[in-house]
């Protein structure tokens, strides 16, 4: 297979990566809103646990327990849907991994046999080299994988601990900081992602 | 409402007529799955064949109504919630206005006064919005109550030429309108369906009652001293409210006051005397959370209630219970016999 044809096939893979990243962005905004709902319930729980906040409702026997139970139930449901969202993130990570593996397979076991380092780094015009393509796929997969792992860690530790420590200390600021992390996605630096796509699709930009 | 004259076949019962396509594979012999129902009279047994299709048609009309009332409830409740939230927010802004940091705006003449006037107007707007959505909710629940009481079908006319009517009241004291307790759909007799409807509607009645307390409290909040809006639990919130509440059994005829809210599994306790202290931020948050949480409407407890009454027996699996829950709560209407596991 000619170099140019191979680059074309890599570019197709990058388009697939782009689609996956678009789904990722949708999932991210879903996760943020789920998180926002969860933290507003968590913050509310403190107010609900204090019987002097019930005003006239304190004449309704059992209202405090019933209200807390209902809120915990809603929180449980939000956690379940967050778990589902996380599973979908995982599916994207797996898919990116597969795209990367298939890409590596193309240069290793392709019809053209083993390629030399020189061939891998060879550039034709503004087209990316095969090494650029491979590195790009690997980096993008790495970023999303790390972000996924970080998300899991953050959600599990922070959210659950925020809930269990609720009676001890207010955790509003912690939850706020966590929400900012969900928005920022520190493992997926936007400029770096853009840089990779700029190299791969340089001809379309020019 | 099914009119028996629309279907002439209903008027002439013929023992040779094969049973309707709706009927379950079980013969409508005078079998009694609900122990509380009286034994069917021989006359009812003879009209059972006639009674069942009308009863099925009636149930198929009534159940979807409950589902659509539930949707109306949800939409009125959500409108009311957004009015309540805005009402609380404009009240809090008004309250904090004197101490609010206005920055460069503080140079503008009368800025605080103008802002207060605007907030006051908003408050009035949301107050009336909340009241009118509450009114809608009361009316929805009265419709639910009426529907839950329209499950029975009565036999009218002479024994040798009976008519079956799906509503109204019985002409014959011996006709409870439940076809003698025979199953209507699958194993379920009229009283089973009635009990289900009653339990479902009871949740909304209790929730309406609790929400009324929140409405009274929210309509009473005011920055004015002395408070002009202050309402009491025993005040009628709009003309005709007490009449509607009494349909829902929420009005004490002896006390001439609405029944004070309680939760389903709790005792009633006399409320303490009202203090005129205005609720603070946290109390208002609890009020709004109470509005959203709908503590009385609980699918799980609902199903447990169904199981504990022991009205479902003879092989109704949990799977079909789950289906029933979906049928009742999510508003999927009954069409034909439920497929039982």
């Amino acid at each position: 297979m000619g170099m140019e044809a191979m680059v074309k096939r890599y570019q197709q893979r990058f388009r697939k990566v782009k689609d996956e990243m678009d789904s990722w962005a949708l999932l991210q905004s879903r996760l943020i809103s789920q998180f926002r709902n969860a933290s507003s319930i968590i913050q509310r729980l403190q107010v609900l646990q204090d019987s002097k906040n019930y005003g006239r409702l304190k004449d309704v026997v059992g209202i405090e327990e019933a209200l807390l139970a209902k809120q915990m139930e809603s929180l449980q449901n939000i956690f379940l849907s967050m778990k589902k969202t996380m599973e979908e993130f995982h599916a994207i990570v797996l898919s990116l991994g597969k795209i990367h593996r298939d890409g590596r397979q193309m240069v290793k076991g392709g019809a053209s046999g083993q390629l030399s380092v020189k061939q891998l780094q060879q550039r034709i015009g503004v087209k990316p080299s095969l090494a650029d393509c491979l590195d790009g796929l690997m980096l993008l997969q790495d970023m999303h994988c790390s972000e996924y792992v970080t998300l899991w860690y953050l959600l599990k530790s922070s959210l659950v601990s925020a809930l269990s420590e609720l009676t001890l200390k207010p955790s509003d600021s912690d939850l706020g900081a966590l929400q900012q992390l969900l928005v920022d996605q520190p493992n997926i630096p936007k400029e770096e992602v853009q840089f990779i796509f700029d190299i791969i699709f340089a001809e379309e930009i020019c | 409402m099914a009119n028996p004259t629309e279907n002439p076949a209903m008027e002439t019962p013929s023992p040779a007529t094969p049973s309707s396509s709706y009927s379950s594979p079980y013969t409508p012999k005078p079998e009694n799955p609900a122990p509380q129902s009286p034994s069917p009279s021989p006359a009812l047994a003879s009209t059972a064949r006639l009674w069942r299709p009308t009863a099925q048609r009636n149930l198929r009309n009534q159940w979807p109504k409950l589902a659509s009332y539930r949707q109306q409830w949800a939409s009125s409740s959500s409108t009311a919630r957004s009015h309540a939230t805005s009402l609380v927010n404009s009240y809090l802004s008004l309250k904090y206005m004197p101490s609010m940091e206005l920055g460069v705006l503080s140079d503008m003449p009368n800025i605080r006064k103008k802002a207060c006037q605007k907030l006051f107007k908003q408050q009035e707007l949301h107050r009336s919005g909340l009241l009118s959505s509450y009114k809608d909710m009361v009316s929805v629940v009265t419709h639910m109550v009426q529907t839950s009481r329209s499950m029975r079908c009565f036999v009218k006319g002479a024994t040798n030429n009976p008519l079956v009517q799906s509503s109204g009241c019985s002409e014959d004291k011996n006709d409870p309108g439940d076809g003698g307790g025979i199953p209507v759909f699958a194993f379920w007799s009229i009283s089973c369906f009635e009990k289900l409807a009653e339990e479902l509607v009871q949740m909304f009645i209790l929730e309406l009652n609790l929400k009324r307390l929140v409405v009274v409290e929210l309509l009473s909040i005011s920055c004015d001293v002395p408070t002009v809006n202050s309402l009491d639990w025993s005040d009628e919130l709009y003309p005709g409210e007490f009449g509607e509440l009494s349909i829902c059994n929420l009005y004490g005829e002896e006390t001439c006051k609405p029944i004070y809210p309680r939760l389903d599994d709790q005792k009633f306790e006399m409320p303490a005397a009202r203090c005129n202290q205005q609720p603070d931020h946290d109390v208002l948050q609890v009020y709004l959370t109470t509005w959203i949480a709908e503590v009385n409407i609980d699918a799980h407890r609902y199903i447990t209630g169904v199981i504990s009454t022991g009205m479902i027996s003879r092989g109704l699996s949990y799977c079909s219970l789950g289906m029933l829950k979906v049928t009742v709560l999510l508003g999927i209407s009954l069409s034909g016999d439920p497929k039982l596991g």
Side-chain angles (χ1 to χ4, degrees):
Chain A
M1 200 191 311
M3 284 291 178
E4 246 174 290
M6 275 181 95
V7 167
K8 245 204 182 100
R9 283 182 63 184
Y10 273 113
Q11 285 173 330
Q12 276 165 15
R13 275 166 217 281
F14 273 94
R15 286 199 183 90
K16 257 203 223 156
V17 170
K18 188 87 188 74
D19 289 346
E20 294 289 6
M21 287 174 65
D22 290 344
S23 323
W24 180 283
L26 287 180
L27 286 179
Q28 188 205 3
S29 63
R30 193 202 294 171
L31 189 72
I32 290 170
S33 93
Q34 287 165 340
F35 181 82
R36 209 172 273 154
N37 290 339
S39 43
S40 67
I41 291 182
I42 289 176
Q43 283 157 15
R44 217 182 282 146
L45 284 179
Q46 277 179 302
V47 177
L48 294 180
Q49 277 171 330
D50 191 344
S51 55
K52 75 169 191 293
N53 290 331
Y54 279 72
R56 289 289 277 178
L57 285 172
K58 65 175 174 293
D59 294 329
V60 182
V61 181
I63 185 77
E64 196 177 327
E65 294 76 13
L67 211 49
L68 278 169
K70 264 272 170 164
Q71 292 285 285
M72 291 308 281
E73 195 187 309
S74 314
L75 200 55
Q76 191 81 29
N77 290 337
I78 297 174
F79 282 167
L80 280 177
S81 26
M82 286 175 104
K83 205 174 156 218
K84 270 195 200 125
T85 311
M86 290 306 292
E87 277 159 16
E88 289 180 56
F89 272 124
H90 188 223
I92 292 181
V93 169
L94 290 181
S95 162
L96 291 179
K98 190 179 181 312
I99 295 173
H100 174 226
R101 270 198 314 280
D102 289 353
R104 239 182 8 211
Q105 209 57 40
M106 240 165 70
V107 290
K108 268 192 188 153
S112 46
Q114 199 75 27
L115 292 165
S116 67
V117 178
K118 206 179 163 192
Q119 280 173 305
L120 283 175
Q121 289 177 343
Q122 187 189 347
R123 278 206 177 84
I124 305 159
V126 291
K127 280 191 196 304
S129 69
L130 294 181
D132 290 335
C133 293
L134 278 175
D135 287 351
L137 286 180
M138 187 191 70
L139 271 171
L140 289 171
Q141 194 255 334
D142 262 9
M143 288 174 186
H144 287 85
C145 189
S146 319
E147 185 63 26
Y148 169 73
V149 171
T150 314
L151 273 180
W152 247 132
Y153 172 76
L154 283 177
L155 291 181
K156 265 195 173 162
S157 61
S158 311
L159 211 51
V160 175
S161 77
L163 196 57
S164 56
E165 287 169 18
L166 194 69
T167 43
L168 303 176
K169 65 178 175 88
S171 49
D172 297 14
S173 56
D174 296 354
L175 290 173
L178 183 53
Q179 186 175 319
Q180 198 51 50
L181 272 180
L182 295 186
V183 176
D184 289 348
Q185 305 203 110
N187 292 289
I188 310 177
K190 278 204 180 68
E191 313 77 44
E192 206 172 323
V193 170
Q194 195 52 52
F195 186 67
I196 294 170
F197 277 93
D198 285 351
I199 290 177
I200 304 300
F201 296 106
E203 61 208 297
E204 290 170 20
I205 299 167
C206 299
Chain B
M1 236 23 62
N3 185 352
T5 52
E6 277 172 15
N7 193 344
M10 295 284 99
E11 294 173 41
T12 45
S14 151
T17 310
S19 65
S20 143
S21 59
Y22 301 135
S23 61
S24 77
Y26 301 89
T27 47
K29 61 187 174 190
E31 182 180 60
N32 203 343
Q36 69 271 29
S37 299
S39 293
S41 66
L44 273 173
S46 72
T47 53
R49 212 178 273 278
L50 169 71
W51 175 84
R52 197 211 293 257
T54 314
Q56 287 181 333
R57 194 166 49 236
N58 181 44
L59 276 183
R60 267 200 293 265
N61 285 335
Q62 302 300 337
W63 276 102
K65 278 194 207 165
L66 282 181
S68 88
Y69 291 141
R70 186 178 185 269
Q71 276 164 9
Q72 288 175 34
W73 163 278
S75 102
S76 301
S77 175
S78 135
T79 313
R81 189 196 64 194
S82 71
H83 283 301
T85 312
S86 311
L87 177 62
V88 164
N89 285 336
S90 50
Y91 163 73
L92 290 175
S93 308
L94 258 177
K95 196 174 156 193
Y96 299 130
M97 185 54 79
S99 57
M100 211 176 273
E101 203 49 70
L102 294 178
V104 285
L105 289 177
S106 52
D107 293 338
M108 292 172 74
N110 290 332
I111 180 74
R112 248 177 249 276
K113 203 177 149 200
K114 278 180 190 159
C116 282
Q117 276 168 351
K118 180 129 197 191
L119 284 168
F120 189 75
K121 264 187 199 151
Q122 274 177 7
Q123 217 179 348
E124 285 308 305
L125 192 75
H126 294 305
R127 205 190 299 276
S128 67
L130 175 60
L131 185 57
S132 104
S133 331
Y134 164 73
K135 197 174 166 221
D136 293 343
M137 292 168 79
V138 177
S139 130
V140 166
V141 176
T142 57
H143 288 317
M144 281 184 175
V145 170
Q146 279 151 357
T147 304
S148 74
R149 290 172 189 164
S150 318
M151 301 279 161
R152 293 182 181 240
C153 287
F154 298 101
V155 180
K156 298 220 162 179
T159 325
N160 56 351
N161 190 19
L163 283 168
V164 178
Q165 201 148 298
S166 58
S167 65
C169 49
S170 176
E171 283 182 349
D172 179 359
K173 265 197 289 190
N174 295 322
D175 177 15
D178 64 353
I182 59 162
V184 191
F185 284 108
F187 308 113
W188 287 58
S189 67
I190 283 286
S191 61
C192 290
F193 280 103
E194 263 182 343
K195 210 151 192 173
L196 255 177
E198 201 181 294
E199 278 187 56
L200 176 66
V201 173
Q202 186 58 25
M203 299 196 298
F204 287 92
I205 291 176
L206 289 173
E207 186 60 28
L208 179 72
N209 203 19
L210 182 61
K211 283 193 154 75
R212 185 180 193 269
L213 182 60
V214 178
V215 169
V216 168
E217 289 306 296
L218 291 181
L219 292 181
S220 298
I221 57 174
S222 158
C223 289
D224 302 326
V225 183
T227 48
V228 280
N229 301 312
S230 188
L231 282 170
D232 199 69
W233 175 255
S234 52
D235 294 332
E236 190 169 40
L237 300 184
Y238 60 87
E241 189 204 6
F242 287 168
E244 291 189 296
L245 288 183
S246 84
I247 294 173
C248 306
N249 291 329
L250 288 177
Y251 188 75
E253 304 294 345
E254 296 115 57
T255 56
C256 291
K257 272 185 195 172
I259 309 275
Y260 204 75
R262 61 172 183 88
L263 301 182
D264 189 30
D265 45 357
Q266 296 288 351
K267 296 191 301 287
F268 166 75
E269 200 167 88
M270 262 315 281
R274 184 183 172 82
C275 64
N276 277 323
Q277 203 189 346
Q278 287 292 318
D280 66 7
H281 175 275
D282 286 348
V283 173
L284 291 170
Q285 193 176 6
V286 170
Y287 287 168
L288 291 178
T289 309
T290 306
W291 192 279
I292 302 166
E294 306 220 304
V295 289
N296 291 294
I297 297 171
D298 185 322
H300 298 297
R301 199 186 61 214
Y302 172 58
I303 288 304
T304 328
V306 173
I307 296 167
S308 62
T309 54
M311 51 179 268
I312 302 169
S313 52
R314 303 197 297 164
L316 267 187
S317 67
Y318 281 97
C319 165
S320 57
L321 266 178
M323 189 203 73
L324 184 74
K325 180 178 85 176
V326 170
T327 309
V328 175
L329 295 177
L330 297 185
I332 300 163
S333 59
L334 285 175
S335 54
D337 292 11
K339 287 184 181 59
L340 301 174

